[in-house]
Amino acid sequence: MKTPYHYLVLTLLVCVAYGNTLQHSFHFDDISSILEKPWIRGLDKIPDFIFSYSQRPLVILSFNINYAISGFKEWSYHVFNISFHLIVVFLVYQSVKLILFHISQKNKSIVNESNQIPLLAALIFAVHPLNTQAVTYISSRSSIMATMFYLLAIIIFFGGVYKTNKKENKINYIYPIGGVVFCGFGILCKLIVVSFPAIIFAYHFYFISDQSIKSWIKRQLKWVLGITGTLIIVFLYKKLYGDGLLRASIVNITAWDYFRTQIGVIPFEYFRKMLFPFNLTIDPDFHVIQHWKSRIAIGGMFILGIFSIIWIKLSEVTKQSKKYALEAFGLIWILITMSPTSSFVPLLDVATEHRTYLPLVGFSIVMASFLIRLKNFIQQSIKDNVHGICNNKQILRLSVFLIFLTLVSFLVGTRERNKIWKDEVSLWTDAKQKAPSLVRPYNNLGEAYDKLRHYDLAIAEFEAALRLNPNYFFALSNLGNVYGKKKKYERAIFYTKKALQQKKDYAPGHYNLGKALHMTGNPKKAILSYRSAIKYNPYFEEAFFNLGFLSLEQKQFIEAIDNFKNFLEMQPRHPKAHFGLATSYAMMGKQAEAKQYYQNAINYDPDFLSPYINLANIYMTAGNTIEAKKLLKMVLLKNKNLAGVHKNLGLIFMQEKDINNASKYLKEYLRLMPMAPDAVAIKSFLKNNN
């Protein structure tokens, strides 16, 4: 099969594997990373984040483009994830072809036996179920994009290395520089790319150099020390003066406890799921290991020891004949690319499946090489009449069938796992069933029910979470929020305050408390709570919005204006925020500003009637009855049952001495509100003018 057909097969397989995800909902971190991220709402926001490398600017840029295409409709986000995954699949194919090219410079016979490996490695990577979290979970796009640039950097970096004679390699340095540039792009997606220098050294050792390990290390020592020293300096700078190098959040775990835990996570969580991708979950039930006597720690060290011995033995054979170069490189790839997230730097979650996306490239290479070697061995045994099976081709067919069955089982597993990612209820129900002792799945399932307004189901899940951990502040705050929606404000205040006792800087807790206090007639305390929510989360849109209207209600117009403006920086086309800002200006007597923002509210939502009415009142006060009538008539075209609008039109026509029109609108006002306080006076007017 020719190369173009390889790409076609890979494309079709990826489409089949992930074609059932296009309508899947946003999940978990998607809320904060996409729905609540003000930077993605408009291409004009690009300057706000593009130079902030700590915020993964290229990933945010991709979300920004998604928003320009489809707003918050999920389909374009999934199309991007699938497309990036397909590009990575192509790059896996090209990477293995490049490796085989370099091996061919040393031993052409090995390449002749291995020319099917690039396609098989790409096929395995394309449909492996362990990749579903990275591809289907929109926020995990960062892993895909980082891997994409990582592989591009490798391909370009070594694209200038060629064999000129038997004694030396010459390098066109344009290619290595290009590789470093793409590595930089990868860092702007996710800092897992810091392992790139180690992979470059490993690639050079296995596929470019002819030296022994000792000679190679001696010759490359200055580069190894230089790059290692640079990384250490960057790490220390970020650690001391920045926000941490790879930390996802503040975690209560020491570096040694995290490292000890990863010794168990790597073999029992990641290796296991690479080989047997079953029982996948968004929230693995893997606990922190706090002492070396743990059976998991001991077992992990034993398995990693065996892994290391195999790698060393393969490496020794490789330097003699390049025979097992692919396998040795694939094995060390797995460990090197896992090191940023599975070493000494504590992350919020000790294990999560999307961290295996980049390491799975190495696994796919090893697995593909093993399967092809097995097939070739059987084929050669038959050809040579080994063990008397010269005429029996069933075993060969069985080996081919084994490869086919592996790919089909992976494909089916991927599609089935994608179904679990359909929505938050299915995702967290699955997580709860697979890890019933973990508190987070109960809480997040409760949040999913809350969004669907299934409040009783939500309360049941939050209470189940609290039975596992009575001080789990997420569940406490969420309980307060749900009880507030059920108008049980005393309970809402009780649970929210209890949550804030556990974590005083929890912004959603202050926000929920503010809502409950407002509804129970404590506006001043509510204002303080909303201010605290904004203090701890400067991008808390709902807090700005609610505080704006509450400040307006309390006649604190300057604070109201400030909050509406802050909100509009994040959601510039929000009609109710423009309305609130306009009303604040109107109450301060700034009619010009009020007119501008009322008109903005009308432009952004022509069916929102309050701005028409308030703007008409401004024109009435200024004596511009023509504009006032025009606006009020537009309101009645949209809703003819607004009594107050009929009254205002009647009064305008009275002022203009147009008795017929005044009578028409005032009669309609009385029909709609026959018991109005001014009904007697209006009836008297109508009687005197008939």
Side-chain angles (χ1 to χ4, degrees), residues 304-495:
L304 289 175
I306 297 296
F307 183 95
S308 300
I309 291 171
I310 293 172
W311 167 67
I312 291 170
K313 292 297 183 183
L314 291 176
S315 298
E316 290 175 351
V317 175
T318 290
K319 292 315 295 179
Q320 299 171 8
S321 65
K322 298 293 180 184
K323 184 176 182 181
Y324 296 111
L326 267 176
E327 290 88 340
F329 179 69
L331 292 179
I332 198 60
W333 174 292
I334 296 171
L335 290 184
I336 288 174
T337 55
M338 280 184 178
S339 62
T341 56
S342 295
S343 54
F344 289 99
V345 183
L347 301 180
L348 183 61
D349 296 307
V350 297
T352 186
E353 290 168 4
H354 66 258
R355 293 177 191 163
T356 64
Y357 189 81
L358 178 56
L360 204 64
V361 174
F363 172 82
S364 299
I365 293 172
V366 174
M367 186 174 186
S369 182
F370 171 77
L371 290 173
I372 294 301
R373 285 185 186 280
L374 177 63
K375 183 181 77 69
N376 290 343
F377 172 77
I378 295 173
Q379 189 172 17
Q380 188 63 40
S381 298
I382 294 171
K383 184 178 179 181
D384 295 341
N385 195 23
V386 175
H387 303 304
I389 55 172
C390 181
N391 297 320
N392 191 348
K393 301 293 181 71
Q394 280 82 2
I395 296 180
L396 176 61
R397 294 193 187 100
L398 181 62
S399 65
V400 175
F401 178 73
L402 175 63
I403 295 173
F404 177 77
L405 183 63
T406 299
L407 293 174
V408 171
S409 64
F410 281 178
L411 177 62
V412 172
T414 293
R415 288 186 59 85
E416 289 301 309
R417 180 62 188 164
N418 287 339
K419 293 176 183 179
I420 301 298
W421 283 89
K422 179 181 179 182
D423 54 48
E424 288 189 293
V425 171
S426 61
L427 179 66
W428 291 106
T429 298
D430 173 78
K432 184 179 75 169
Q433 291 171 348
K434 291 174 179 175
S437 64
L438 291 183
V439 64
R440 185 165 62 179
Y442 293 91
N443 177 75
N444 289 8
L445 181 56
E447 290 181 352
Y449 284 133
D450 177 18
K451 292 172 186 176
L452 296 172
R453 299 183 179 181
H454 298 163
Y455 298 134
D456 291 336
L457 291 175
I459 288 172
E461 296 299 333
F462 295 140
E463 289 177 343
L466 292 174
R467 284 194 291 271
L468 291 172
N469 182 356
N471 296 322
Y472 192 61
F473 62 87
F474 289 113
L476 290 167
S477 180
N478 285 331
L479 261 181
N481 181 39
V482 172
Y483 277 124
K485 293 175 180 178
K486 289 172 69 70
K487 303 186 186 304
K488 297 180 179 180
Y489 299 116
E490 295 303 322
R491 283 192 176 186
I493 292 171
F494 169 78
Y495 281 109

Side-chain angles (χ1 to χ4, degrees), residues 503-550:
K503 187 172 175 61
K504 67 177 182 179
D505 62 345
Y506 186 52
H510 289 285
Y511 174 76
N512 292 337
L513 182 59
K515 288 195 298 182
L517 289 170
H518 187 193
M519 297 306 297
T520 52
N522 293 287
K524 293 183 179 180
K525 290 183 179 180
I527 286 175
L528 294 176
S529 291
Y530 284 135
R531 288 174 181 168
S532 295
I534 292 167
K535 173 185 175 182
Y536 295 121
N537 180 2
Y539 299 104
F540 205 142
E541 297 174 357
E542 295 90 342
F544 280 114
F545 186 80
N546 286 11
L547 184 54
F549 278 105
L550 183 53

Side-chain angles (χ1 to χ4, degrees), residues 10 36 92 98 105 126 138 164 167 173 265 287 315 370 375 411 414 424 496 518 531 534 584 587 610 644 667 673 682:
L10 292 171
E36 295 177 354
V92 171
L98 179 64
Q105 306 302 304
I138 296 170
T164 56
K167 294 185 178 181
Y173 282 96
V265 167
H287 300 282
S315 298
F370 171 77
K375 183 181 77 69
L411 177 62
T414 293
E424 288 189 293
T496 308
H518 187 193
R531 288 174 181 168
I534 292 167
S584 301
M587 297 292 285
S610 296
K667 285 178 180 178
M673 291 190 66
I682 291 176

